Amino acid sequence: MRIGVIGTGRIGTIHANTLSRHREVGSLILTDADPARAQDLAHRLGETAAPGVDEIFTWGVDAVVITTATSAHAELIGRAARSDLPVFCEKPIALDLPGTLQALAEVEAAGTVLQMGFQRRFDAGYTGAREAVRSGRLGRLHTVRALTSDQTPPPVTALLLSGGLYRDTLIHDFDILRWVTGHEVVEVYAAGSDAGPAMFREAGDVDTGAALLTLDDGTLATATATRLNGAGYDVRMELAGELDQIVVGLDDRTPIASTEPTGPPAADKPWTGFLERFGPAYEAELGAFVDVVRGERDNPCDGREALQALRIAEACEVSRRERRVVPLAEIPGGGAVAAAM
């Protein structure tokens, strides 16, 4: 199998390393907006660098992995669909709903595969939580608390292109909330704070956000995020039911300290970022993509799942801006979402 990797930045490099080691992948073609960066990575991996995107589609590949800046995702997804090639793409499809819906329409018309990069679906902790909920171990689920806290903010250039805290960061919590519980969000109320560094205000973004989400079975969920968690990178999900309560992301590297006399000690080596925390999950999602391309399994996270997570993020942005409860029914694209959870 020959795979084209478009984008060799931080996550593209990780994915290229993973694919280069995969037993079913014979070779890679790498390209990047910075040709020298792609050439350097190709040399280190013993793979081939292409001078541009066009060569990915003319040199002959069996699948495409897209890890470029988000602004290029939708166009590349459409091009791959028109070339009848399966695609793995990092989230999101686009930073707006029209771009997302257009790309999905092209994939649908071509009948090709689009697998989205929501790596938490492949994390052992979240997989265990899903199994616990679906098995009935918790009884009736009544409360979910999700959080994502980055240790340090992104560079200003990345922040300006990110789409904001809800679309860039909390979108992972929105996706995994649906996947773990098996239920849809029906309304949201969100707030944000830009009281931190001035760059967030200048970007029209917030450094800290919170959302109250109501699921279609009445379960209440909260999702919070910050770019300024000095203790370390912290990603958790607590799920409470009438029979039991569980937590994802609580281990000896969780960057949290107890004030109780008999509480656990602070982590000696707290998580510092998502690549470290979710390393095995990133490998597993690409392994799944190879299996999908080979026809050995169904797509575990198609583009319609990414659309629904983006719709929740959009609803939160409207709620934050207008200071009101926003029903998901107000957000376009609901008819395109399939119950594939």
Side-chain angles (χ1 to χ4, degrees):
M1 182 186 300
R2 193 182 203 190
I3 296 180
V5 179
I6 307 175
T8 56
R10 181 169 57 169
I11 192 64
T13 296
I14 295 293
H15 287 343
N17 272 277
T18 297
L19 290 168
S20 187
R21 298 192 307 268
H22 197 289
R23 65 183 182 279
E24 300 294 347
V25 178
S27 62
L28 303 178
I29 301 177
L30 312 177
T31 193
D32 192 89
D34 178 355
R37 184 164 66 178
Q39 184 66 56
D40 178 65
L41 179 60
H43 178 73
R44 285 188 279 124
L45 296 179
E47 303 289 357
T48 302
V53 171
D54 289 346
E55 285 76 13
I56 295 292
F57 295 98
T58 59
W59 287 3
V61 296
D62 300 299
V64 174
V65 170
I66 299 171
T67 60
T68 62
T70 297
S71 57
H73 287 185
E75 191 277 329
L76 290 171
I77 289 170
R79 187 169 182 179
R82 295 189 296 274
S83 300
D84 196 32
L85 289 171
V87 174
F88 175 93
C89 184
E90 279 300 323
K91 64 82 188 168
I93 294 173
L95 288 177
D96 58 22
L97 286 168
T100 299
L101 291 168
Q102 175 60 35
L104 287 178
E106 293 211 56
V107 171
E108 193 75 22
T112 52
V113 168
L114 169 60
Q115 181 181 326
M116 296 304 300
F118 282 106
Q119 85 284 353
R120 294 187 194 183
R121 293 181 177 220
F122 297 87
D123 176 72
Y126 285 106
T127 300
R130 175 181 163 104
E131 292 170 353
V133 171
R134 304 301 180 91
S135 71
R137 169 184 160 185
L138 306 186
R140 183 186 68 85
L141 187 66
H142 53 71
T143 307
V144 181
R145 293 175 286 270
L147 66 88
T148 296
S149 300
D150 291 326
Q151 185 174 28
T152 55
V156 174
T157 52
L159 181 67
L160 292 171
L161 299 173
S162 72
L165 187 68
Y166 291 99
R167 299 186 190 95
D168 183 49
T169 300
L170 278 165
I171 195 168
H172 281 287
D173 297 278
F174 301 150
D175 174 71
I176 206 65
L177 174 64
R178 296 179 62 243
W179 188 75
V180 167
T181 66
H183 289 281
E184 297 289 353
V185 174
V186 295
E187 67 177 26
V188 308
Y189 182 75
S193 169
D194 61 2
M199 68 178 186
F200 292 98
R201 292 185 292 279
E202 293 165 359
D205 196 7
V206 293
D207 58 73
T208 303
L212 172 64
L213 310 106
T214 303
L215 306 190
D216 57 17
D217 66 342
T219 299
L220 295 180
T222 58
T224 64
T226 184
R227 304 280 200 181
L228 302 164
N229 196 57
Y233 180 72
D234 191 6
V235 173
R236 279 176 282 138
M237 173 182 270
E238 300 173 5
L239 301 106
E242 293 183 347
L243 298 180
D244 203 356
Q245 181 172 235
I246 57 175
V247 60
V248 178
L250 183 62
D251 59 22
D252 61 1
R253 298 192 64 183
T254 304
I256 192 168
S258 173
T259 61
E260 299 295 334
T262 59
D268 290 332
K269 188 180 179 183
W271 299 110
T272 58
F274 62 90
L275 292 176
E276 182 185 34
R277 165 66 177 84
F278 289 110
Y282 280 116
E283 291 199 17
E285 69 176 357
L286 283 177
F289 178 61
V290 171
D291 290 344
V292 170
V293 174
R294 288 170 53 82
E296 296 176 351
R297 67 171 293 174
D298 293 333
N299 188 347
C301 186
D302 68 21
R304 293 167 296 179
E305 302 286 339
L307 169 63
Q308 183 66 333
L310 179 61
R311 290 181 67 239
I312 299 168
E314 291 290 326
C316 287
E317 286 288 2
V318 173
S319 178
R320 178 179 71 88
R321 186 171 62 248
E322 300 181 3
R323 296 179 178 272
R324 66 178 177 91
V325 172
V326 176
L328 260 290
E330 283 189 20
I331 308 301
V337 177
M341 295 184 295

